[in-house]
Amino acid sequence: LMAEDCPPLPATLNFSVCGLGDTSYADFNQCAANIDARLDALGATRVADLVKCDLDYDDEFAAWKTAVFASEPFVTAAATPAAPAPQSETAPAFDKNHPFMASLLSCDRLSDPNSAKCVNHIELSLAGGGADLDYAAGDALGVWPTNCPDDVQAILTATGLTGRETVTLKSGPARLQAALSTKLDIATVTPTTLEVLEMDRPFEDAQILDLLATKGPVEAHILAAALRPLQPRLYSISSSPKAHPGEVHLTVGEVLYDLADRTRKGVASTHLGARLPAGGMLGVYVQKSAHFHPPADDTKPLIMIGPGTGIAPFRAFLEEREARGATGKNWLFFGDQHAALDYLYRDQIDAWHAGGLLTNLSLAWSRDGTEKIYVQTLLEQNAAEVFAWLQEGAAIYICGDATRMASDVEAALLRIIAQGLDADTAAAQTYLDTLASQHRYQRDVY
Ligand code: NAP
């Protein structure tokens, strides 16, 4: 579409663009705007205006849908017998806006206290949730977090508010204290924040408290208008429901870093890891994954690459393969900084390896030696065997860091495939694309 030599589109091609974006990014919904402008410039017919949705998209999406459904071409098309009637689906009892209240069974630190990272194993009870909470290995869990009470108090102190003020949110009136705790994102600065507070961003990655520190008193309704709604966080589920009926497990690294003289805390990761007491309740819902599941054919080999918290879905996969009695070979590539401090699920993984469920186990400890050993180092050291597994029909999955690890692992895979095929990178890319189209190459990266 964007190519300079893209041919014109017929005016009979009707379109309307609904963009899903996030106002905390500078180029809010730029992709949707570009596509909308391009379709128009190429001669297609816009039947309803572009709508740019923010994270909290329900109202904007509903308005866009109404406008599209009311447009003349849509009404005409829907009236023709060829257009199949939309399937009516029963809405699940629990979803993003109607979460199930799960209770925390336990939270145990997986990484050693001397590790640079605090990674927790979280177990939640889904008892009483019924079939609508049925999940499969590979699905994610949406979690509604609660903001840190110290941060809420710091905001009230900085603005000179008590928390007893009433503010009006989309969902209706609420006490400011409650709104700041559970309804509003009290960290992220968006363009709306700067506009409403009439301030400039003091530094990159500045948070709301950094702005309020110099602002002085703020009225409650202004504060509420400056903050966007709190959003749920999605975590890859790290348990198989067959191994843990009625429970769901997560593997969560606590986000903690210092910036501008203040420790910043990840909202959900520290709520789960440090603030929610055993028995405490938490709103959750299951976010189904389209294809990121263990192979349906239990005889097929499976290669899993998941350093750091990327291990999460693969613990679920291995529990699932074990519970199903799957005979296919399994190969796990895991790693982190130090073997002694960061070997998450060590006992379970070692037992799987000793017992034969894990045919191969490749562990990459990046800071134990003089040279960095990464998962792709071990992939390349085992290139011939990795390629042989692929030729035998293996599925290969990656989970974890999107920006660095996943692209470096993919580059290594392309080299391994090119070597195996004795061909160039283009041929390797075609091979990998074919695996992807068969859902045998999949990534859950964040
Ligand atoms: P992680 O930061 O991915 O670290 C796990 C292991 O991967 C470490 O041994 C790390 O080594 C290694 N690693 C670093 N760069 C790599 C690369 N290019 N290729 C392969 N391995 C690499 O795992 P985590 O601490 O569990 O963090 C996962 C989460 O943190 C994800 O959400 C991730 O997106 C996020 N994260 C992102 C960044 C980033 O800059 N994009 C940085 C940290 C964390 P070394 O640390 O010794 O290099």
Side-chain angles (χ1 to χ4, degrees):
L1 271 181
M2 295 300 173
E4 272 176 28
D5 59 353
C6 179
L9 296 170
T12 49
L13 179 71
N14 301 300
F15 77 93
S16 176
V17 178
C18 177
L20 296 174
D22 177 344
T23 40
S24 63
Y25 287 82
D27 296 319
F28 172 58
N29 258 313
Q30 195 56 47
C31 179
N34 291 350
I35 289 175
D36 179 76
R38 187 65 176 152
L39 288 168
D40 182 51
L42 290 170
T45 303
R46 185 189 289 108
V47 300
D49 286 344
L50 163 71
V51 168
K52 295 179 178 180
C53 299
D54 200 355
L55 289 178
D56 191 23
Y57 56 80
D58 303 72
D59 291 351
E60 281 114 334
F61 174 61
W64 176 80
K65 217 164 53 165
T66 305
V68 171
F69 286 5
S71 70
E72 192 275 327
F74 189 91
V75 172
T76 310
T80 60
Q87 296 283 319
S88 65
E89 280 179 23
T90 329
F94 304 112
D95 60 17
K96 183 180 168 200
N97 294 318
H98 309 92
F100 172 75
M101 295 312 287
S103 65
L104 180 73
L105 294 170
S106 61
C107 168
D108 295 303
R109 186 167 169 148
L110 288 171
S111 54
D112 189 270
N114 293 317
S115 167
K117 308 176 184 190
C118 176
V119 181
N120 296 309
H121 174 70
I122 314 275
E123 300 194 350
L124 298 167
S125 168
L126 299 178
D132 280 317
L133 287 170
D134 283 351
Y135 67 89
D139 288 340
L141 191 77
V143 168
W144 280 100
T146 297
N147 285 313
C148 172
D150 294 345
D151 289 346
V152 170
Q153 189 51 52
I155 286 189
L156 292 173
T157 306
T159 49
L161 295 162
T162 63
R164 291 187 296 278
E165 300 82 355
T166 299
V167 290
T168 306
L169 307 176
K170 237 178 182 178
S171 51
R175 279 289 170 100
L176 181 63
Q177 174 96 33
L180 292 175
S181 298
T182 60
K183 300 281 187 202
L184 296 169
D185 177 343
I186 61 170
T188 312
V189 174
T190 69
T192 306
T193 313
L194 300 174
E195 198 183 309
V196 171
L197 294 180
E198 298 174 333
M199 294 180 83
D200 291 326
R201 199 182 291 268
F203 56 89
E204 211 187 325
D205 298 331
Q207 296 184 336
I208 298 289
L209 260 173
D210 301 310
L211 260 70
L212 296 178
T214 56
K215 174 74 181 162
V218 178
E219 287 178 57
H221 72 277
I222 302 273
L223 177 63
L227 306 179
R228 68 178 187 176
L230 189 62
Q231 290 298 312
R233 309 299 197 264
L234 286 172
Y235 292 104
S236 308
I237 292 174
S238 56
S239 53
S240 155
K242 292 191 177 64
H244 308 278
E247 292 180 11
V248 63
H249 301 176
L250 305 176
T251 309
V252 180
E254 279 188 34
V255 177
L256 283 174
Y257 60 97
D258 291 325
L259 180 69
D261 299 331
R262 214 160 48 77
T263 300
R264 321 279 157 148
K265 290 176 271 202
V267 175
S269 65
T270 59
H271 178 219
L272 285 165
R275 297 195 299 277
L276 192 66
M281 307 300 276
L282 179 79
V284 302
Y285 60 98
V286 172
Q287 178 81 38
K288 294 273 176 208
S289 158
H291 301 293
F292 197 87
H293 300 295
D297 183 343
D298 281 345
T299 65
K300 292 286 183 205
L302 176 59
I303 301 174
M304 295 157 278
I305 305 164
T309 50
I311 187 66
F314 301 136
R315 175 183 184 259
F317 279 29
L318 287 163
E319 288 191 346
E320 178 78 16
R321 296 266 274 187
E322 184 175 45
R324 292 211 303 232
T327 53
K329 297 186 290 184
N330 297 299
W331 191 344
L332 176 67
F333 289 85
F334 170 70
D336 212 313
Q337 295 181 359
H338 300 288
L341 308 180
D342 303 302
Y343 191 170
L344 313 180
Y345 301 111
R346 175 195 289 266
D347 293 349
Q348 202 171 10
I349 292 174
D350 284 350
W352 279 329
H353 192 211
L357 178 74
L358 264 177
T359 321
N360 290 356
L361 173 62
S362 298
L363 300 171
W365 306 113
S366 57
R367 304 193 192 186
D368 273 352
T370 45
E371 278 176 38
K372 287 254 177 192
I373 306 289
Y374 284 160
V375 281
Q376 65 270 27
T377 321
L378 302 185
L379 273 167
E380 296 209 67
Q381 281 174 8
N382 293 280
E385 196 178 355
V386 169
F387 186 70
W389 279 47
L390 293 179
Q391 291 291 79
E392 286 168 37
I396 185 158
Y397 291 7
I398 304 176
C399 181
D401 173 48
T403 40
R404 307 159 303 152
M405 184 276 294
S407 50
D408 290 351
V409 167
E410 181 163 308
L413 281 177
L414 287 171
R415 285 192 294 275
I416 290 167
I417 294 167
Q419 203 177 312
L421 295 172
D422 193 17
D424 60 9
T425 314
Q429 187 65 60
T430 306
Y431 186 101
L432 199 60
D433 290 347
T434 306
L435 289 189
S437 68
Q438 297 167 344
H439 307 309
R440 283 174 51 205
Y441 173 52
Q442 294 193 62
R443 311 189 322 161
D444 171 8
V445 296
Y446 39 87

